[in-house]
Structure formats: C-alpha cells, structure tokens
Amino acid sequence: MIALLTAVVLGVMLYLPVGVVFAEAVFVDGRLSLAHFREVLTDPFYVGVLAQVFADPLAIESHLASLGGWILAGFPSFPLGLFGFTAYQAALSTVASLALGLPAAYVLANYEFRGRRTIRSLTILPFVLPGIMVAVGFYAMFGQAGTLNAILGVVGLGPYPFIERNPLAIVIVAHAFYNAPLVARITVAAWESVDVRALETARSLGASPRRAFVDVVVPQLLPAVTTGALLTFIFTFMTFPIVLALGGLQLATVEVWVYARIQRLAFAEAATLAILETIVSLALTYAYLRYESAQAGMSRAAAPPPRERLFPDLRTALEPRRLAIVGYGVLTLVVFVGPMASMVIGGFTDGGGFTLRHYEFLIRRQTEGASYQTLPWPAIRNSLLFGVATLFVAMPMGVVISVVTTRSGREGGHHRGRWATIIDTLAMVPLAVSGIVFGIGLLRGLVFGIPLIGGWRLQITGVVAIVAAHAVAAYPFVTRNVSPLLADLDPALVESARSLGASRYRALLDVELPLVASGIVAGAAFTFAISIGEFSSTVILASGGETYTMPVAVERYLGRRNGPAIAMGTVLLAITGLSFVVVDRVGGRFERD
C-alpha cells in the first residue's frame, strides 16, 4: 500500500509535470506537431552553424562550404549558438574542476597531515550549499567593493571590475568551487583502491617510479576521473542560479534562457528548449552510468598505498614538490574559503569599513516594507517551513523506493533484479531533469490545473506545489544514502524476525530501518539542505506571490542592493549550517538509541 501511494505521488508530482512539458512542445493547437522543434533547430541563435544542417540535412556540400567560409573568416561568431555556448562553458568548467580537484585528490591520497580527515569530509560541502549563495559569495569576493579589491587597495591598486570585465571566468571558477571537491572525493576513493603490491611488482621489473605510476595507477584512476568529469559536465551544462546571478542574459545558458522565455510567457518555446536540454542531459547521464558501472567493482585494496607525512621536517618542507603543494593550498583558500568568508565579512562592511547598515536595511524592510516587496522574515519562515514539510514527504518516498529496489534485487533472480534496475532508474529521473523543467511542468500543469472527467480539475498551487518540487529534487538523495546500507544487511536478521512472528512491515520497522539509521539521518540532512537552497523551480513557482524563499530573496536583492543581498546570503549560510548541526545531533542520538 505504501509503495503504491509512493508510485501515485511520483506519477502526479514527477512524471505528470514532465509529461506536461513534453506535451507543451509537441502539440500545436491540440495537434501533434514538431513545429516548435523545427523552429528552434533551424534558428542560428540556438544552434549556430548547425541550423543550416537541420534545415536541409541533404545539402552536405553546401554545409561544408559554409563551415569552411566561417573558419576562413576567422571564427566571426560562436559556432553552435546557445547550446554550443552552454556546452563550451560546461567544458571549461569541467577542465577547471579537474585542475583544482585532481591535485587535492593526490594530496589527500598520498600524504598524512593534521586535518586530512576533516578536509576530506568537507568535500561533501558543495552539495549542501545553495547555488545562489555561492554566487553571492563570489560577488563579495570579486565585486567592486569585494575582499579582493580591498586587498588590492591596501597596496595602492584597483578597484578592478573582475565580474564586469571577466564574467565567464568568474562563473567558471564558481563552478569549480562546486565541482572540484566532487572530483577530488571520487578520485581519492579510487586512489585508495590501488594495491601497492602492483606498484612494487612494476618497480621490481625495472619500471621507474614515473613509469610505474603511468602504467599501474593511471589506468585505475581513469574511470574515476572520467566519472567526475562527466558529472561535472552534466551539472554545469544544466547550470542556472550561478550564471543567472553572475552573468545574467549576457552569459545565458539554455537554463537561463528558458527562465527568460517563461518570464515573457513564451511557454512553448521554453518547453521545447527544456526538452532538448533534457535529451542532452539524459544522454550524458547514460554515459555517466556506464562509467559508474565500470567503477562499481572497485573496492578498497588489501594493501593501499602508504601515506607519507606532508611536512616531516623543515628541510623536506622546502622541496619543490612540497612548495608546490603549499602554493596549491593558498590557491584553494582563495577559491574555496575566500568567497564564503568574504560573504560573512561583506555583510558587516562597506567601502568605508565596519557597518551594520546592510542588516539594518533588512530590519527596516521587514518593519516598513510594503506587502508587494520582498521581506526578509517571510523568506526565512517559508524556507524553514518548506524544509520541514519536504522532510515529511521526501523521506518516506526515498525509504520506500530503497526498500522496493533492494528487496526486488535480493528476492528473486534475474527478472526481479531487472525490475529493480528499472524502478531505480525511473526513480532517479530528477537527477537528470533540471529544476527549471519541473518548474515549467508544475506551473503549466498542476498550478494552472489539469482538466479531469466530469468537469473536475487537478490543481495544486502555492505551498503544496513548492514542497512537491522540493521533495522531487530531494528524495533521490535519501534513496542513494539508504539503499547501499539496506543491500548490505544480512537477510538472516529479517528471516529471524519473520520466523518469530513479525510481519514484513514490522520487520522493516524493528530490524531493517534501525540498522540503516545513519543513511536515514544523512538523507534527512541532504533533504533539508536541498529544500532550503532550492532555487530553480522555486523562482518560477514563487513569482508574484508571498511564497518566496531565502534563495529567491537573495536573487531579488542582488544587482540592486548587493550589500543586503550579501547579508541575506550570510543568514542563509548560517541557517543551512545550523540545520546540519541540528540534524546531526538528533541523528546521533537516534543512532545511539
């Protein structure tokens, strides 16, 4: 019954909105048509030089001549339009993430130093930081009145308009802030799975240390690096809040342009772009899953490479290799610590030094602002209430899907295992479909209302629609945290409970769930944090109403009053951090009990 109810909720809140988006794009005046796709694919603004190919696929010679003329003209414009630029910035962001993440993986896997475990644990942090908050942090770091310009002012330089002159570079660094820790986390796990005995065998056969590394270590790291690169490309291809806040329409990606089309009520065009983007993201996600399966058999080696002390003495600390590590450490402080620290400092400073006027503005806005303005307290209150409500919806959904897929894979041979894979894949659709797509589907479908038989309408609006969008975005993280623990449970424990008279439901509550409490707590932490920071669908569903959240309030302040936006971002950071502490404390007590 619970599984059936979960399937109904997924059907209404997940697949129905996605289906509405698809219907919006493929139906014109109630008739099936590909006219919207033809308009997009033959428009050079969207696909650049490929527009001629889609307009007349058979004119190959003409296309080659046009392409050759474009090259000879010195690349006068970006070749692949909006989609090409989106892929271009995603590729640059992937390279930057690898450049920052792989050295971190090398240090964490090969050296022992104080705080190594803490730093490794912090690589999970980007997954709980709202994108709009990261954008505010980069404004506080690189803006005209930011920390970097304040430092330059001390030595008589600046201010330099970093964001205004180099918005793409700032966006790429912000993406690396998010994804380099992901690359590092995946690669460290692979590095620790390398068996040192294979290295010793290669050395005993005459290989130099460099040759042994290239022939033994690199092939085992390659699947992890490829996985990290694919995930980074997928995330940055579907990027939205960071580009919207730091680049706007000047650096519009497909997601940002879809949002702009929605603002102009061009729903059919927005839906078409969203579907094309989803097709690309699904293809990339399929490639990621293939590489993930290649890595799935990797386990911790019986003899992992030993870690040496990072700075055993002063003499070795001056070696070029360790000096390079120190330089990398300074760079990571600028990229990772700088923006968040700058946001906290920026909330209390302006061009003239220490001030409380940014927070005074928020207080004045709350006490004196009109109802149509963005007020701080409703944003904070809504974020907390939506977060709690999302917990009550997403947690049961994620746990039920975990139980269904785990039992299906465990209880019955090849066919049951295949059904478990299908269910798991269908349930993970939110990871490959952006929040913008859900926002459009919920707005055009459930918020506007879907006609039913007998004159009834299926309509979900306001708070319920936003919580539904948050729950859809969050429940896969519950499943991903709980499923591995359930799969590792000894089936004999459940069988013993059943033999003593416990029903399957009772065995689940009394035996299985208490043993996977750590996964449930981790899923709860992710769920609450994702809801607190969710922006893509919320900014669509909350437009024109009083259901805006803290991320939406930050975006509305940003660009008009950067100081209050930074102050509001600091409040968002504090509440996000506090929520994790509370969930961790409550979860710790639950696990001990």
Side-chain angles (χ1 to χ4, degrees):
M1 177 61 71
I2 299 177
L4 180 61
L5 180 61
T6 301
V8 171
V9 172
L10 284 178
V12 174
M13 298 302 182
L14 173 57
Y15 296 109
L16 181 58
V18 173
V20 168
V21 176
F22 274 73
E24 189 83 38
V26 300
F27 283 93
V28 178
D29 297 327
R31 299 176 61 183
L32 187 65
S33 173
L34 297 178
H36 294 312
F37 289 96
R38 190 178 303 110
E39 290 175 6
V40 169
L41 293 175
T42 56
D43 187 342
F45 174 80
Y46 291 119
V47 295
V49 296
L50 292 180
Q52 300 178 29
V53 178
F54 288 118
D56 189 1
L58 299 180
I60 298 176
E61 293 183 3
S62 174
H63 301 328
L64 292 175
S66 298
L67 182 60
W70 175 80
I71 295 173
L72 292 175
F75 302 90
S77 61
F78 201 82
L80 299 179
L82 182 67
F83 278 90
F85 174 75
T86 302
Y88 172 69
Q89 64 81 29
L92 291 179
S93 299
T94 301
V95 171
S97 299
L98 291 174
L100 278 174
L102 293 180
Y106 166 76
V107 174
L108 291 172
N110 292 280
Y111 292 98
E112 189 66 59
F113 54 92
R114 182 169 304 207
R116 189 188 71 86
R117 291 185 179 180
T118 301
I119 292 176
R120 180 171 176 176
S121 298
L122 288 176
T123 56
I124 202 69
L125 188 61
F127 290 99
V128 301
L129 290 180
I132 194 68
M133 189 176 74
V134 173
V136 170
F138 273 78
Y139 251 108
M141 180 73 178
F142 296 100
Q144 287 273 26
T147 304
L148 191 54
N149 272 319
I151 295 173
L152 292 176
V154 172
V155 297
L157 300 175
Y160 182 80
F162 291 99
I163 297 177
E164 292 77 6
R165 293 280 183 87
N166 307 283
L168 179 58
I170 300 299
V171 166
I172 289 169
V173 175
H175 285 160
F177 173 95
Y178 251 113
N179 296 293
L182 171 67
V183 172
R185 190 176 185 87
I186 294 174
T187 309
V188 166
W191 218 315
E192 292 175 343
S193 299
V194 175
D195 196 327
V196 70
R197 291 172 297 190
L199 280 170
E200 293 171 350
T201 301
R203 294 297 307 280
S204 67
L205 294 174
S208 65
R210 182 176 180 179
R211 189 69 186 176
F213 177 81
V214 171
D215 291 346
V216 177
V217 178
V218 171
Q220 297 185 56
L221 296 183
L222 192 58
V225 174
T226 305
T227 297
L230 279 170
L231 281 174
T232 299
F233 191 90
I234 292 169
F235 293 155
T236 51
F237 187 85
M238 296 192 297
T239 187
F240 177 59
I242 288 177
V243 175
L244 180 67
L246 295 176
L249 292 180
Q250 177 187 355
L251 292 179
T253 58
V254 175
E255 287 268 292
V256 174
W257 195 255
V258 168
Y259 175 65
R261 295 293 87 194
I262 293 172
Q263 295 293 93
R264 292 180 175 270
L265 304 182
F267 293 110
E269 185 180 356
T272 304
L273 291 172
I275 288 175
L276 291 173
E277 181 198 38
T278 301
I279 291 172
V280 174
S281 68
L282 285 173
L284 293 171
T285 302
Y286 173 77
Y288 155 68
L289 292 174
R290 290 292 301 271
Y291 276 103
E292 185 187 47
S293 64
Q295 196 183 2
M298 187 179 297
S299 60
R300 188 171 180 86
R307 286 189 292 268
E308 59 180 293
R309 291 182 61 189
L310 184 57
F311 299 113
D313 52 55
L314 181 60
R315 183 177 59 82
T316 54
L318 298 177
E319 291 178 355
R321 180 177 55 173
R322 286 176 166 80
L323 288 176
I325 292 174
V326 171
Y328 172 75
V330 173
L331 177 63
T332 57
L333 285 175
V334 172
V335 174
F336 296 107
V337 179
M340 295 299 100
S342 297
M343 183 172 64
V344 175
I345 295 171
F348 295 98
T349 58
D350 59 9
F354 179 81
T355 181
L356 292 175
R357 65 186 182 91
H358 303 321
Y359 291 96
E360 290 172 356
F361 171 86
L362 296 180
I363 295 173
R364 267 198 324 273
R365 171 58 64 88
Q366 178 60 43
T367 56
E368 302 173 6
S371 59
Y372 61 84
Q373 294 179 308
T374 302
L375 307 179
W377 170 242
I380 297 172
R381 178 198 63 208
N382 290 341
S383 291
L384 294 174
L385 290 177
F386 295 164
V388 173
T390 301
L391 279 175
F392 282 100
V393 178
M395 292 300 296
M397 289 172 60
V399 170
V400 167
I401 292 170
S402 298
V403 172
V404 170
T405 54
T406 303
R407 285 180 174 171
S408 297
R410 182 192 295 163
E411 290 178 359
H414 173 71
H415 294 292
R416 295 297 297 272
R418 185 169 58 187
W419 275 111
T421 303
I422 293 173
I423 294 171
D424 191 32
T425 302
L426 290 175
M428 292 301 108
V429 165
L431 296 180
V433 179
S434 73
I436 286 290
V437 174
F438 286 124
I440 299 173
L442 287 170
L443 182 66
R444 296 291 287 167
L446 299 180
V447 174
F448 287 2
I450 297 176
L452 300 176
I453 299 175
W456 293 86
R457 294 181 69 84
L458 176 61
Q459 190 171 23
I460 299 175
T461 60
V463 173
V464 177
I466 293 176
V467 171
H470 290 193
V472 164
Y475 82 81
F477 293 90
V478 180
T479 300
R480 285 306 185 203
N481 276 284
V482 174
S483 290
L485 299 179
L486 278 176
D488 289 340
L489 284 182
D490 187 352
L493 296 174
V494 179
E495 293 170 3
S496 298
R498 295 295 303 278
S499 66
L500 294 174
S503 64
R504 174 172 290 189
Y505 176 72
R506 195 68 189 176
L508 173 66
L509 289 181
D510 292 346
V511 178
E512 293 181 272
L513 293 186
L515 292 175
V516 298
S518 60
I520 294 174
V521 171
F526 275 108
T527 297
F528 193 81
I530 288 169
S531 177
I532 288 286
E534 215 294 321
F535 178 77
S536 299
S537 60
T538 311
V539 74
I540 296 175
L541 297 173
S543 59
E546 297 182 358
T547 52
Y548 52 85
T549 58
M550 284 188 288
V552 175
V554 169
E555 190 273 333
R556 291 179 181 178
Y557 290 144
L558 200 60
R560 306 178 186 92
R561 306 175 183 86
N562 288 344
I566 291 171
M568 194 70 190
T570 305
V571 175
L572 177 56
L573 175 63
I575 291 177
T576 302
L578 182 62
S579 67
F580 255 76
V581 172
V582 170
V583 171
D584 183 63
R585 293 289 180 85
V586 173
R589 287 200 298 270
F590 176 65
E591 289 179 72
R592 287 192 297 271
D593 293 344

